[in-house]
Amino acid sequence: MQENQEKFIELVNKENVGKNLKYSILTMGCQLNENDSEKIAGMLEKMQYQYIEDYKEADLIVFNTCCVRENAEERLFGKIGEVKKLKESKNVILAIGGCMMQEPGMLEKIKKSYPFVNVIFGTHTMQNLPENIYKAIIENKKVKDVIDIDGEIYEGLPIKRNSDYKASVTIMYGCNNFCSYCIVPYVRGRERSREPELILEEVRGLAEEGYKEITLLGQNVNSYKGNDKIKNFAELLNEVCKVEGIERVNFISPHPKDFTDDVIDVIANNEKITRIVHLPLQAGNTKVLKEMNRKYTKEQYLTLAKKMLERIPGLVLSTDIIVGFPGETDEEFEDTLDVVREINFEQIFMFIYSKREGTVAAEREDQVPEEVKHVRFDKLKELYESRVDENNEKYLNTVQKLLIEGKSKNNENMLEGRTSTNKVVIFEPHSEKKPGDIVSVKILEAHKWYLKGEIIND
Ligand code: 5AD
Ligand code: SF4
């Protein structure tokens, strides 16, 4: 944390003391944004704000935005409208930050259409939040703090984590890949890796606090660059697994083009690493992949995926797929279905291509009509869902190690946890086992979106 921000925390503290103020954060988008929101929460709590779920009850509202797909914009503008109504009856501070604020033209649009927004900040200025809140609440200013740079890394921000057992640790920021559909490199700047020692210090601290599961985050984790001692992602992953007390290690997202054998070996040799790896395919056709600037062919992806499945016993894969990229024909889309049939992904995050101004693909004239995109999306979904039962049934009668996460979301009387392959399992509570414990559970029933089991003694 920078010293001048500590000063603003003090000043806001003095102003807020005894007022019992509440904050609420709405996070859109990916886990990197979730992790940023945990840091925003950490800073706000240092300034005497207390968390409240319902933003209508809050004195300070933060929207942490995403811009990967277009529909996020409509959602945000709807939410800003709701806050406008709130502002008519009480004094609420509205701060909007994150990726969407880095988009060209967005600042002007908000300034013009929503002049009542108190603070706007971007992905490179989140660490200035104390100063910006100070200016908004004490100097009554409208603050715009967005800069377009490649970005620096700010260490040591306070953090208020969402879970007591599972924690995300960002290992690198930004992206250098410029996939032709993607806006991330424009709004998050170039790749920059955190020092490995600082990452390990954070992980050790988390283990001491009782955290059991760590997810290493980055836009492209396997191009992580360390130093002379811990050089690359494989070495970092291996070191994280050595931290005593941490039982599970996970990472998102890798890029297939950088998935080297040393990372595969580290996963194969470390049982702590989850047995699901997210390997974004995006498309299964080599021409489309080239135009997406993904730098691998259909065959290279298949070879990599099969090698991983062969070398890492018990591994399953999850993936991201975009349908309706500009110029994609029905035949080319069939190649995507082919890969899905061949790899049998355990989880697929499916997206309809969304045109993002400023990206190379947005300039193309051969955009795929909306109805065609939807037909392809439905086909892919149907294929995926036709495999779900079979994929779930393979767990029947197996014994799975689970991290107990708490009560089941759908059944108060049951506990819930996830397998090392990220399957949700519900089971009856056990007098000696509590959330945060790792337990062995025998799987007795397979349902579409969850499994049911019972705790057994090892
Ligand atoms: N349209 C649709 N999906 C996109 N993604 C990224 N950009 C776009 C876009 N313009 C998807 C990719 C990525 C995931 C996080 O979001 O599949 O892996
Ligand atoms: Fe976007 Fe590609 Fe970078 Fe992922 S790797 S953030 S899809 S540009």
Side-chain angles (χ1 to χ4, degrees), residues 148-150 174-192 219-220 223 255 257-258 282 288-295 322 325 356-362:
D148 184 16
I149 51 165
D150 282 350
C175 180
N176 288 352
N177 291 316
F178 290 94
C179 299
S180 64
Y181 50 81
C182 185
I183 199 160
V184 168
Y186 302 91
V187 296
R188 288 221 172 233
R190 295 294 67 72
E191 273 175 17
R192 49 223 186 263
Q219 300 295 349
N220 183 8
S223 65
H255 192 306
K257 79 174 164 62
D258 298 316
Q282 311 299 4
V288 174
L289 284 166
K290 188 163 181 8
E291 289 175 3
M292 286 179 159
N293 195 26
R294 291 291 290 175
K295 304 204 166 71
I322 300 176
F325 180 79
R356 305 289 41 219
E357 284 315 322
T359 61
V360 171

Side-chain angles (χ1 to χ4, degrees), residues 68-69 181-182 280 282 320-322 351-354 356:
V68 167
R69 282 167 293 275
Y181 50 81
C182 185
Q282 311 299 4
D320 287 347
I321 293 175
I322 300 176
F351 306 107
I352 288 180
Y353 168 74
S354 167
R356 305 289 41 219

